[in-house]
Amino acid sequence: MATQYEISGTTAKGITRSVERGVSEGMLAPGAALPPVRRLAEELGVSPGTVATAYKELRRRGIVVTLGRGGTVVAEAPSVASRRPPKVPEGLRDLAGGHPDPALLPALAPPSRLSPGVRPHRSAPRLPRLEDAVRDWMGADGVPVEHVTFAHGTLDFVARVLSAELRPGDAVAMEDPGYHHLLDLVAALGLRAVPVAVDDKGMRPEELRSALRAGVRAVVLSPRAQNPYGGALSAARRDALAEALREAPEVLVLENDHASDVSDAPLRSLSGAGVARWAHVRTVSKFLGTDLRWAAAACDPVTLARHDGRLLLTSGWVSHLLQETVHGLLTDSGTSALVARARVQYALRRTALAEALAGHGVPAHGASGMNLWVPVRDESAVVNGLRSRGWWVAAGARFRLASEPGVRISTAALQPAEAPRLASDFAAVLGESEATYGG
């Protein structure tokens, strides 16, 4: 056993709880090996079947994985210990968080015209005027808007839909590298992530076809501002992906347009490209405020019914106070002007760093959005090297399934004047660590 943590328990549930506690408290780290079934059974004085049942439950819940002859190990992203970024050390310039620039967000003020009282939330969960605003918002980008619904953020929507559509053990095609919270969510639901490589134009069609042949039941992707790689679907790429998906009409496509209004790339959505099962979901946290835990989704009618059925049985509805706040901001001309300014600024900041890095011979990916993905040979060496120079960037490990190493630099708050110094420091760190590309 590769750790000093001692697993305890005399029942399958007790053993499961013990392993879960060790993982959640950090005493069983990702990749840590669990004892073989028979050895742990002897140590605990229980039958091998009891340990095998515990390990099966841990696998189902995404806490451990079995590697054949490699035995059973703690998952790289166990569902009880999400791949949360480390705390930013004091005094460093934070370029790891991926948050919008507070200076480019509107002031939030809750609506005053709604008073406490009983309203028919379950029978009328969505404010009609916000539904109309959402239809105008998404419809302007070519998304079919006959069926729309709301959720408590994108992750909330995706979790509810996947749990209604799939069963533990089912496979989901995921972008690689991809958004770490979505990767963790899939594991937490007991689903199996199948990596699909991305490039500057989004998911690669040939990789998606391979995933479809492998039997995935859902596909999760971003049409633009892909996090962390920055890809944006071209019209040709969208059509190629749609062609592959039309051959698998039972597969559900979840499209996460998380940056929407502050992405400088046009939307090329799969929702209107003849895909049978689909949902296009948008949040407003990147351009209206991170505390606005609200998302809107347009879906095919089956997906909408399954989502709303689960919503009715759980939280029931999204706060009408929150809906009023979002509606006020979405329809405010001053806020629209600020969002337009933010879109321009984020593109300038991202481009400034990409060009500065290129000037030092350092290639980076970031066709849209608020991040750059920089391939490196040794993530830890680069992160620590930049830390010594006052920069804090994100190691790529928590974004990756099978893709090559890299680091993510969030450029949302990086002023163009800062880009030359960061690029110079980055090139110096690469030289010091000998993490040159291909060498």
Side-chain angles (χ1 to χ4, degrees), residues 14 25 45 82 217 219 274 355 368 397 437-438:
E25 294 177 359
S82 179
R217 294 195 54 204
V219 178
E355 292 176 349
S368 61
Y437 305 105

Side-chain angles (χ1 to χ4, degrees), residues 129-130 133 136 324-336:
R129 55 185 170 278
L130 184 53
D136 292 341
E324 286 282 6
T325 302
V326 172
H327 177 265
L329 291 168
L330 281 180
T331 57
D332 177 67
S333 59
T335 299
S336 296

Side-chain angles (χ1 to χ4, degrees), residues 106-361:
L108 296 184
S112 59
R113 64 175 175 268
L114 278 184
S115 60
V118 177
R119 283 176 291 276
H121 292 104
R122 289 186 182 273
S123 60
R126 295 183 292 277
L127 297 180
R129 55 185 170 278
L130 184 53
E131 280 192 336
D132 291 341
V134 164
R135 288 190 168 93
D136 292 341
W137 180 30
M138 293 186 177
D141 288 325
V143 177
V145 291
E146 183 179 358
H147 306 283
V148 299
T149 190
F150 303 158
H152 304 92
T154 295
L155 291 171
D156 176 69
F157 176 83
V158 172
R160 193 172 290 113
V161 169
L162 289 181
S163 64
E165 294 275 348
L166 277 60
R167 295 293 177 267
D170 286 344
V172 181
M174 304 293 294
E175 294 170 321
D176 186 24
Y179 182 40
H180 58 101
H181 287 309
L182 280 172
L183 297 176
D184 293 346
L185 174 61
V186 165
L189 294 174
L191 305 173
R192 180 167 53 89
V194 175
V196 178
V198 300
D199 58 24
D200 293 331
K201 296 179 181 178
M203 269 191 173
R204 296 180 181 177
E206 65 276 14
E207 299 268 358
L208 176 60
R209 287 184 183 276
S210 295
L212 293 171
R213 287 195 294 269
V216 299
R217 294 195 54 204
V219 178
V220 182
L221 79 162
S222 296
R224 53 184 171 178
Q226 195 271 348
N227 187 1
Y229 206 87
L233 295 180
S234 65
R237 176 62 58 86
R238 179 216 36 220
D239 293 346
L241 294 175
E243 181 182 359
L245 289 163
R246 284 195 293 268
E247 297 172 5
E250 73 286 353
V251 172
L252 173 64
V253 179
L254 296 177
E255 197 171 67
N256 175 20
D257 191 21
H258 68 99
S260 60
D261 284 23
V262 287
S263 174
D264 52 317
L267 177 67
R268 273 88 181 222
S269 175
L270 288 162
S271 61
V275 177
R277 297 294 315 283
W278 62 274
H280 176 93
V281 59
R282 294 181 180 181
T283 185
V284 294
S285 59
K286 293 297 184 186
F287 60 93
L288 295 184
T290 54
D291 274 337
L292 294 178
R293 308 311 298 166
W294 174 88
C299 327
D300 69 82
V302 173
T303 301
L304 179 104
R306 291 178 179 174
H307 171 271
D308 284 6
R310 288 294 179 94
L311 180 66
L312 183 66
L313 293 172
T314 54
S315 60
W317 66 88
V318 176
S319 163
H320 282 200
L321 287 169
L322 176 58
Q323 292 187 48
E324 286 282 6
T325 302
V326 172
H327 177 265
L329 291 168
L330 281 180
T331 57
D332 177 67
S333 59
T335 299
S336 296
L338 179 61
V339 171
R341 178 180 164 228
R343 180 168 57 248
V344 172
Q345 286 297 314
Y346 290 144
L348 286 173
R349 296 171 188 184
R350 186 190 71 249
T351 302
L353 181 58
E355 292 176 349
L357 287 169
H360 288 274

